[in-house]
Amino acid sequence: MDFEFTAEQQLLGDTVTEFLAARYDLEKSRAAARVGAGHQPEIWRGFAEEVGILGAGLPESVGGFDGGAIETMIIAEALGSALVVEPYIDTAVLGGGLLRRAGGRAADELLRGIVDGSVVTALAGLEPQSGYDLHRIATTARRDGDGWIIDGAKTGVTSAPLATHLLVTARTEAGPGLSLFVVAADSAGVTQHAYRTIDERRAADLVFEGVRVPADALLGSEGAADDSLELGVDEAIAAICAEAVGAMRRVLAETVEYSKQRRQFGVPIGSFQVLQHRMVDMHLELEQAVAATYLVTLKLDAEPRVRARAAAAAKATIARAAGFIGQHAVQLHGAMGMTEELAIGHFFKRLTAIRYEWGSADQHIARYAALTRP
């Protein structure tokens, strides 16, 4: 199988990498994440207006570039290497995919907003009792005249404090299937309890109390969002895996460079065979993570069970590799590895969060096992 990128795909990766190298400062981004808006609005505008990555995977009919999963993988890896906190995956990948499949005037308007940078989305799918199961929800939407009334609670909604629009899963009278609604983040009746996560991202727990939305807030058909949601989460998992690969490449490179500079007993610590072996093991974990990421990216268009198996395998592999590489990188840097001064500590926190984002290794191993049974 040919794993070479086309000239256009290579150019895309180079363009994003060069933009981030010139414009994305780690210290400034951490400050924005901690005490600022949670991200850098000027960087988000740059994503939309200068490099066009927010529309890279969206249709030309809404201003996008009609790219595919490979383009998304290239972008996500570059963002991971720079430890970008801006909500690219939540908005352009997960939100964009759900809106694209829903279709309709309201969805197209939001897609145009994603492309130009004016719309940020967050999927409000999980609830306190859900675990990682999108189908274990109690939020309801009932018809009320020419609109809908939504009641319920969501938890751990990443990017919600930054979002202009929430994509909310709910049950209706149509049957057991899920419905998907778009709700303006500042709608009356929406309460947010916002917080900062361990990796300096923003998230929130949400309560919907009698939130009234118009009829066209229903995305797609009533009770028919299940398949799109499952595909959307697998697309997000593929992008998160690519982000993790970018972060792990950076962590390994910085660890190898540090081992050449740090001296102990009069020689660089990189000359110690036991540490060389450890860095080789880190490299092997990275290569397995790359292979798993390629697999899920290339299988996103496959039939659902094949796609789901690839996503489960990739997420379990990434979780193991992220833990191994992150932990050993910190150990090889010594106590400095956990300080705010070095990038390694920040990467370690993000890799730790990725291990559990959209499912832990144990959950995806169990998912894979279930999918392999006849």
Side-chain angles (χ1 to χ4, degrees):
M1 183 175 290
D2 183 9
F3 291 109
E4 293 291 328
F5 294 141
T6 66
E8 290 79 8
Q9 290 167 343
Q10 290 174 343
L11 179 61
L12 171 64
D14 292 342
T15 300
V16 178
T17 299
E18 290 169 5
F19 174 86
L20 294 170
R23 298 278 300 278
Y24 206 82
D25 178 74
L26 184 61
E27 184 176 344
K28 186 177 179 182
S29 76
R30 296 302 101 181
R34 289 194 193 96
V35 297
H39 75 308
Q40 300 173 79
E42 67 276 13
I43 295 295
W44 191 251
R45 288 194 298 271
F47 286 171
E49 299 169 4
E50 297 178 47
V51 288
I53 61 173
L54 300 184
L58 300 180
E60 292 183 1
S61 60
V62 295
F65 297 100
D66 216 16
I70 294 176
E71 285 74 19
T72 298
M73 179 185 72
I74 291 169
I75 293 167
E77 182 174 337
L79 299 181
S81 181
L83 203 61
V84 169
V85 297
E86 280 65 32
Y88 169 78
I89 294 176
D90 283 336
T91 298
V93 180
L94 184 52
L98 291 171
L99 291 166
R100 184 181 69 247
R101 287 186 291 275
R105 183 187 61 81
D108 286 348
E109 284 300 312
L110 290 174
L111 287 171
R112 292 187 182 93
I114 289 175
V115 172
D116 67 25
S118 62
V119 168
V120 175
T121 64
L123 175 61
L126 299 177
E127 301 184 3
Q129 76 283 358
S130 297
Y132 294 113
D133 187 351
L134 285 168
H135 302 281
R136 293 178 60 188
I137 69 166
T139 297
T140 61
R142 55 184 172 83
R143 292 186 182 274
D144 183 66
D146 59 351
W148 297 85
I149 301 293
I150 299 175
D151 291 284
K154 301 292 183 178
T155 190
V157 183
T158 56
S159 301
L162 312 178
T164 58
H165 295 79
L166 306 168
L167 303 179
V168 184
T169 58
R171 298 199 179 279
T172 67
E173 296 179 352
L178 297 177
S179 297
L180 186 66
F181 294 85
V182 59
V183 179
D186 59 356
S187 296
V190 178
T191 303
Q192 287 198 23
H193 171 63
Y195 46 84
R196 191 158 46 90
T197 59
I198 188 176
D199 56 340
E200 311 290 2
R201 308 288 169 120
R202 296 295 174 91
D205 296 336
L206 307 175
V207 176
F208 299 87
E209 294 180 300
V211 179
R212 182 176 177 80
V213 295
D216 64 359
L218 174 64
L219 297 173
S221 301
E222 184 180 354
D226 298 72
D227 291 344
S228 181
L229 283 163
E230 290 173 5
L231 174 55
V233 170
D234 285 343
E235 289 173 337
I237 286 172
I240 289 167
C241 289
E243 179 193 350
V245 165
M248 288 187 288
R249 284 194 198 279
R250 174 82 176 270
V251 166
L252 179 56
E254 293 202 1
T255 301
V256 171
E257 184 60 30
Y258 177 79
S259 73
K260 295 176 181 178
Q261 299 175 6
R262 177 74 167 90
R263 301 179 71 85
Q264 189 72 32
F265 307 114
V267 297
I269 63 172
S271 65
F272 302 150
Q273 191 175 56
V274 66
L275 299 188
Q276 293 174 359
H277 288 173
R278 189 175 300 186
M279 285 181 278
V280 168
D281 289 341
M282 293 167 68
H283 176 74
L284 292 175
E285 288 286 340
L286 173 59
E287 289 303 307
Q288 291 180 64
V290 171
T293 300
Y294 279 19
L295 175 65
V296 65
T297 300
L298 296 173
K299 293 294 186 182
L300 287 176
D301 291 331
E303 64 97 1
R305 285 180 66 88
V306 173
R307 181 199 73 228
R309 281 200 302 267
K315 190 58 171 62
T317 302
I318 286 291
R320 185 194 66 230
F324 187 91
I325 292 174
Q327 291 165 14
H328 284 291
V330 168
Q331 290 174 3
L332 288 167
H333 278 78
M336 292 177 59
M338 289 303 294
T339 63
E340 296 291 329
E341 286 74 16
L342 291 187
I344 290 296
H346 299 290
F347 277 97
F348 172 72
K349 291 176 183 177
R350 178 57 185 152
L351 288 172
T352 299
I354 284 175
R355 295 175 63 191
Y356 301 96
E357 197 165 345
W358 291 114
S360 65
D362 288 345
Q363 187 263 339
H364 281 286
I365 290 170
R367 181 190 184 199
Y368 186 92
L371 289 165
T372 56
R373 298 189 189 107

